[in-house]
Amino acid sequence: MAALKQRMAEIVPAMREDIRSFLKQYGDKVVSEVTLAQAYGGMRGVKALVCDTSEVPPEKGLLIRDIPIGELTDRLPEEIFYLLCVGKLPPAEDLEDLKADFRKRAEVPQYVWDVLEAMPKDSHPMCMFNTGILVMERESEFRKAYDAGIKKTEYWEPTLEDSLNLLAKLPALGAGVYRLRFNKGPRIEPDPNLDWAGNFGHMLGIPDPKGDLKDLMRLYMVLHSDHEGGNVSAHTCHCVGSALSDAYYAVSAGLNGLAGPLHGLANQECLNWILMVHEKFGGVPTDDQLRDFAWETLNSGKVIPGYGHAVLRVTDPRFTAFREFGLKHCPDDPVFKIMSNVYNVIPDVLKEHGKAKNPWPNVDAASGSLLYHYGMKEFPYYTVLFSISRAMGMCSQLIVSRAWGEAIERPKTLTTAKFKAMLGA
Ligand code: NMX
Ligand code: MLT
């Protein structure tokens, strides 16, 4: 048995028992109240979902299994996936085992390329990527096992199998979408000596003489991997998965949410905004010019992409990690400089504007300027990078919730008339 599965098999019975007895003893305790404003306002702050893989304290930012993301930036994504699932970083032999397992499962079936090649040439890369995932649903081990009558306590096992099969293929699928959609020539074979994210950098085919782009891809995949359970993509994946749809259906559904401009697509919008600044001022603008441009954006009713967050109330530590990478590798790049200057100006503008509860940058504010520096200039593609990484969080959440046997998600809704009657309005 592969090491990751073995470790999961060791911890699952105790996890299940722990949650069962916790619920038995405390099941009727109140953990959250819901105001009318929350019911109409995207349920912000309502504590009504469980996620054990990661947590986002508003004043600290992402913790993966209690480890601050800033302490994980030198790790490989494979280590993060193991950490998400098992709750501990892998020992060296388990890491090697997982890397080898991913390599073994990495080949994308030809029928996926046939479908993607038949899509309209101007399809959005996110649509192509998510179609690629969905069309592989026929591979699902969970669906086969379910049809054959698998026991509920074993659901997590074929879910892990589906997750490994799917995750292993995402670098090749993502790189293939990049090359097909942007006419970059034939697909590039994986390098058997490279890790999951390094191979993705390799298969993109962007010149990388010093290996910095591969390092950026490793960092990118670590930083975007998970962000607790209530964000649109994780929550959607979880909700679809709670109907026992398999990982292909559930992850593809989640990623369709990531494609929205208020969520993952913000990274393409961010770079767009920075490039508009660059073009308008013919280079790096002064802080006053930047401030004026930001007000123009706000006064035209638009948001400043990459700023604000539904949960965070500080600068996103993932933004800080990207900025540090840029300060080390490309401090004089004009687009990176604008991004850095934006960070000096925007929080005060947003505070003065007075609407956003969080005036600080989120993960999407910095990544685009680095990708642009390394030659990835097709910004509609950026959310695909986010997707490859976030699939790790979604899959691990799915595996863990199947392991302890979570119920189908089905909160209660009321009509506006019912709410009015309830409150005597
Ligand atoms: N620029 C201008 N206005 C903003 C911004 C911003 N960056 N952020 C929030 N606001 C507004 C928001 O539109 C809302 O206005 P209104 O009352 O007119 O509807 C008001 O401030 C209150 O919103 P919040 O409660 O602060 O934010 P909320 O939790 O509803 O939404 C975001 C969070 C992330 C959707 C929001 O901050 C935003 O739209 N940011 C820009 C897009 C972005 O960067 N998204 C990426 C999020 C991270 N990710 O990767 O998913
Ligand atoms: C993020 O990574 O910032 C998100 O998925 C958005 C969120 O947590 O609400």
Side-chain angles (χ1 to χ4, degrees):
M1 191 191 293
L4 172 57
K5 186 167 181 192
Q6 179 69 45
R7 298 302 154 253
M8 290 292 299
E10 286 159 15
I11 61 173
V12 165
M15 183 208 307
R16 196 179 292 137
E17 179 48 30
D18 179 51
I19 293 176
R20 198 196 60 79
S21 67
F22 180 45
L23 276 175
K24 195 166 167 212
Q25 218 183 332
Y26 295 94
D28 58 354
K29 301 284 179 220
V30 175
V31 291
S32 205
E33 285 181 343
V34 185
T35 64
L36 187 68
Q38 286 171 310
Y40 279 83
M43 295 186 284
R44 207 73 79 256
V46 177
K47 297 179 193 73
L49 288 170
V50 182
C51 172
D52 283 325
T53 56
S54 69
E55 196 197 339
V56 183
E59 311 302 333
K60 276 194 194 154
L62 175 62
L63 308 174
I64 296 191
R65 296 285 192 171
D66 284 338
I67 306 177
I69 188 68
E71 293 174 20
L72 293 167
T73 51
D74 291 331
R75 299 285 177 172
L76 288 175
E78 290 90 329
E79 294 177 273
I80 303 299
F81 181 60
Y82 186 106
L83 173 65
L84 286 162
C85 292
V86 175
K88 289 194 177 89
L89 283 160
E93 62 274 23
D94 286 14
L95 174 60
E96 285 317 308
D97 188 83
L98 181 57
K99 282 162 86 175
D101 201 11
F102 272 158
R103 272 196 285 271
K104 220 170 50 204
R105 299 169 189 257
E107 193 177 333
V108 175
Q110 178 57 41
Y111 65 80
V112 175
W113 303 124
D114 295 342
V115 169
L116 297 187
E117 280 160 15
M119 288 177 78
K121 299 285 168 252
D122 61 352
S123 300
H124 195 283
M126 275 300 279
C127 178
M128 296 175 77
F129 185 72
N130 294 350
T131 301
I133 292 176
L134 196 54
V135 82
M136 285 193 284
E137 193 278 333
R138 66 185 288 282
E139 313 287 337
S140 175
E141 295 297 327
F142 178 83
R143 186 158 58 80
K144 278 181 220 146
Y146 188 84
D147 290 348
I150 190 177
K151 286 197 294 207
K152 189 172 177 183
T153 50
E154 290 165 2
Y155 285 172
W156 69 270
E157 295 184 40
T159 302
L160 173 62
E161 200 62 18
D162 280 354
S163 298
L164 291 168
N165 281 332
L166 179 57
L167 290 171
K169 292 173 179 53
L170 296 186
L173 176 63
V177 166
Y178 180 69
R179 297 193 62 79
L180 174 64
R181 176 61 180 73
F182 299 106
N183 303 312
K184 300 285 181 185
R187 289 187 297 280
I188 295 171
E189 287 299 309
D191 176 343
N193 299 313
L194 280 171
D195 53 288
W196 187 75
N199 233 327
F200 173 58
H202 159 73
M203 288 184 283
L204 287 168
I206 298 173
D208 183 25
K210 292 198 284 177
D212 288 356
L213 176 68
K214 290 184 194 68
D215 280 344
L216 178 61
M217 288 304 125
R218 292 179 182 112
L219 178 67
Y220 197 107
M221 297 304 156
V222 166
L223 294 181
H224 289 79
S225 56
D226 203 29
H227 216 236
E228 66 175 43
N231 64 73
V232 167
S233 46
H235 182 200
T236 305
C237 175
H238 174 265
C239 184
V240 172
S242 81
L244 296 184
S245 301
D246 60 55
Y248 297 87
Y249 283 127
V251 170
S252 165
L255 294 179
N256 290 331
L258 197 71
L262 295 187
H263 194 13
L265 201 84
N267 58 11
Q268 95 168 48
E269 308 247 313
C270 269
L271 186 63
N272 226 343
W273 195 84
I274 287 175
L275 293 181
M276 280 190 319
V277 170
H278 189 258
E279 194 180 307
K280 176 161 176 165
F281 300 105
V284 182
T286 65
D287 284 1
D288 282 341
Q289 287 172 320
L290 255 182
R291 208 168 286 117
D292 290 347
F293 192 75
W295 276 110
E296 262 178 51
T297 302
L298 292 170
N299 291 337
S300 65
K302 296 191 190 124
V303 296
I304 310 275
Y307 282 75
H309 200 273
V311 175
L312 282 169
R313 293 296 175 260
V314 286
T315 293
D316 191 332
R318 301 169 299 172
F319 170 87
T320 307
F322 273 135
R323 189 157 173 269
E324 280 167 6
F325 186 96
L327 288 171
K328 185 167 163 202
H329 293 278
C330 56
D332 298 324
D333 179 293
V335 174
F336 177 76
K337 269 190 171 162
I338 297 179
M339 186 284 293
S340 272
N341 294 353
V342 167
Y343 178 44
N344 298 330
V345 167
I346 294 297
D348 282 342
V349 171
L350 283 176
K351 281 183 210 163
E352 196 183 330
H353 185 239
K355 271 189 164 185
K357 293 190 189 65
N358 174 40
W360 304 106
N362 61 58
V363 66
D364 289 332
S367 53
S369 63
L370 298 175
L371 298 170
Y372 198 76
H373 172 78
Y374 286 108
M376 183 185 277
K377 303 206 162 166
E378 300 80 6
F379 33 86
Y381 183 72
Y382 291 176
T383 313
V384 174
L385 299 178
F386 197 151
S387 302
I388 296 174
S389 173
R390 188 51 64 90
M392 285 193 285
M394 291 194 283
C395 284
S396 58
Q397 291 191 22
L398 210 54
I399 296 162
V400 171
S401 42
R402 292 266 162 98
W404 66 263
E406 202 171 2
I408 186 167
E409 196 180 310
R410 188 14 176 132
K412 181 78 186 92
T413 62
L414 290 181
T415 61
T416 296
K418 275 273 165 60
F419 273 122
K420 284 186 175 165
M422 178 195 272
L423 299 173

